[in-house]
Amino acid sequence: MSHYFARPVLASSMARQLIHPDVLSEGFRSGLFMSGQRRTGKTTFLHNDLIPALEREGALVIYVDLWSDTRANPAQLVRDAIRDALAQLQTPGSSLLARLSRVSGVDVGALSFKFGFKLEKIGETGGPPLSQVMTELVDQARRDVVLIVDEVQQAITTDEGKQLLVALKSARDAVNPRPGSVGHFIFIGTGSHRAMVSELTARRTQAFSGAQSIPYPVLDADYTADLLAHLHHTGVPNLPSHEVVLAAFRTLGQRPEELLKALRQVQLHTPAGQDPDGYLPVVAATLRAAAADIELAKVEQLGRLASAVFEWIAAAEGDARGIFSAEAAAHYSRVLGREVKVEEIGPVVNELMASNLILRRAHGLYVVADPAVRETWREKQQLLG
Ligand SMILES: Nc1ncnc2c1ncn2[C@@H]1O[C@H](COP(=O)(O)OP(=O)(O)OP(=O)(O)O)[C@@H](O)[C@H]1O
Ligand SMILES: [Mg+2]
């Protein structure tokens, strides 16, 4: 039962703000970063809604996913994507050339690209800087060029990736401020790691300090209503009411796959005589706890100190403070039954952050990354008394 809920209005409005910004949205030209929880539909939104909307506004879009190959160097993946785009623009019959012809309304035959550098030199020492590459690309395409990097936080995990972000920022600063420019270079980064993605724009030391950072607009009531209508239409039995489906969707962290799983269980296993409205909330709560258990098992795998630090954070009301304090160290020591030194804490906190289990909200303030995981942990504590 494949079902896709399109969001053309939302996508068009975002695309317009990026390509034809008014005074208030001009900041988007400094870069746009979007972050949201895992499996909530970010990549799907980029491919099915935002990229087509950007193309309708006449932009040339280059997309690269830094998780497409987690062993590869993120900087290399971005450069490969740019090089591949340029190569396609010089290849008659390529799909990118066809797309450019479509968005520009210019006949494919009339499009020709000649760059003042060798493509294979991009990214090599002595090769053209990205600012030159992007300037030539924008000038010859005669339109805005949008580079979308999915899972952009991967870039700050390596020094080369950080240098790449600096190079992209210089490209932006080389292309955009030119008076009478035929186009702009716009950078969009998305990712699942909220703390790291927002850090990219917040920290003065980061390349994109000053760019906009927004939460990914999650699917909500109009998605569940559309899904339910689709299921009714296809004659699926045992369907709960919309109110209950929406509540279940929110319980499940607004993740389409989890909701479909829950609805499938309801369809197949609602006990005879029971109302699906009564059964779906139970199924949703169970699925959510099962998903949270997987996360909690990851904490355990990181060791006992990681568990103690995680518990300090999960137990706090609101943001946890002082996780590196002497008081915290004394607490961890009691839990572990051995002395824990303050300098042991940092690496463990980094591991918890790298696994997306906790995140730093601001200097010195930490929270459990997924609120559902925190609640499940708390419920377990209560059961243990
Ligand atoms: N608008 C939508 N309508 C229906 N299903 C959707 C929609 N958006 C996403 N989904 C479904 O949700 C699941 C997750 O989508 P997607 O991979 O885009 O999420 P993501 O946030 O990029 O995940 P990840 O954190 O793994 O990168 C997929 O199975 C996808 O088909
Ligand atoms: Mg994704």
Side-chain angles (χ1 to χ4, degrees), residues 126-369:
L130 276 184
S131 50
Q132 182 190 351
V133 173
M134 283 304 168
T135 305
E136 291 195 23
L137 177 57
V138 165
D139 286 353
Q140 295 190 39
R142 304 187 60 76
R143 61 202 46 260
D144 288 339
V145 172
V146 182
L147 174 66
I148 302 184
V149 179
D150 206 355
E151 302 301 347
V152 66
Q153 77 279 343
Q154 286 300 109
I156 50 174
T157 58
T158 66
D159 281 340
E160 230 191 308
K162 284 184 199 157
Q163 283 162 19
L164 173 86
L165 289 175
V166 173
L168 288 169
K169 176 196 176 279
S170 349
R172 172 197 83 187
D173 294 344
V175 174
N176 293 355
R178 296 177 303 165
S181 165
V182 289
H184 298 89
F185 169 49
I186 296 160
F187 182 82
I188 302 179
T190 68
S192 302
H193 203 301
R194 263 187 299 165
M196 278 162 89
V197 173
S198 52
E199 220 173 272
L200 281 172
T201 62
R203 278 226 228 147
R204 293 226 165 271
T205 48
Q206 296 284 2
F208 280 91
S209 127
Q212 307 285 310
S213 176
I214 60 169
Y216 157 75
V218 284
L219 294 163
D220 201 52
D222 28 5
Y223 160 74
T224 46
D226 191 71
L227 173 66
L228 209 48
H230 173 80
L231 295 175
H232 274 297
H233 187 73
T234 46
V236 173
N238 277 348
L239 286 173
S241 69
H242 180 239
E243 209 184 340
V244 171
V245 170
L246 176 58
F249 186 52
R250 290 180 179 160
T251 299
L252 292 166
Q254 277 140 306
R255 294 177 169 102
E257 290 162 327
E258 296 292 306
L259 180 65
L260 293 183
K261 231 190 268 175
L263 288 172
R264 217 158 11 238
Q265 286 202 22
V266 169
Q267 182 198 339
L268 298 174
H269 305 299
T270 301
Q274 198 178 334
D275 177 10
D277 270 9
Y279 190 45
L280 178 59
V282 181
V283 171
T286 312
L287 277 178
R288 178 170 113 141
D293 278 341
I294 294 175
E295 296 298 295
L296 291 173
K298 284 189 208 158
V299 176
E300 267 173 40
Q301 273 163 18
L302 291 178
R304 295 185 59 212
L305 180 54
S307 301
V309 173
F310 180 86
E311 288 176 7
W312 177 277
I313 297 169
E317 292 303 328
D319 297 335
R321 295 163 189 278
I323 65 170
F324 299 101
S325 64
E327 186 200 344
H331 172 78
Y332 308 147
S333 303
R334 273 196 303 280
V335 175
L336 269 68
R338 67 162 178 89
E339 193 199 344
V340 173
K341 299 209 175 66
V342 171
E343 57 275 20
E344 287 177 63
I345 305 171
V348 164
V349 168
N350 287 341
E351 278 182 20
L352 284 165
M353 287 209 291
S355 311
N356 216 355
L357 293 162
I358 62 167
L359 52 91
R360 178 165 54 214
R361 293 226 314 121
H363 188 72
L365 299 182
Y366 292 81
V367 290
V368 174

Side-chain angles (χ1 to χ4, degrees), residues 83-102:
R83 191 183 313 114
D84 176 61
L86 267 54
Q88 282 204 42
L89 290 173
Q90 294 186 323
T91 310
S94 73
S95 63
L96 190 61
L97 212 50
R99 260 163 58 205
L100 178 61
S101 159
R102 204 179 61 230

Side-chain angles (χ1 to χ4, degrees), residues 3-5 38-44 151 192 223 256-257:
H3 162 260
Y4 173 69
F5 176 64
R38 298 225 44 204
R39 310 308 297 159
T40 49
K42 300 177 299 296
T43 301
T44 308
E151 302 301 347
S192 302
Y223 160 74
E257 290 162 327

Side-chain angles (χ1 to χ4, degrees), residues 113-133:
F113 285 80
K114 255 198 166 49
F115 299 107
F117 47 85
K118 287 215 163 61
L119 296 194
E120 58 276 14
K121 291 276 180 215
I122 295 178
E124 289 190 3
T125 24
L130 276 184
S131 50
Q132 182 190 351
V133 173

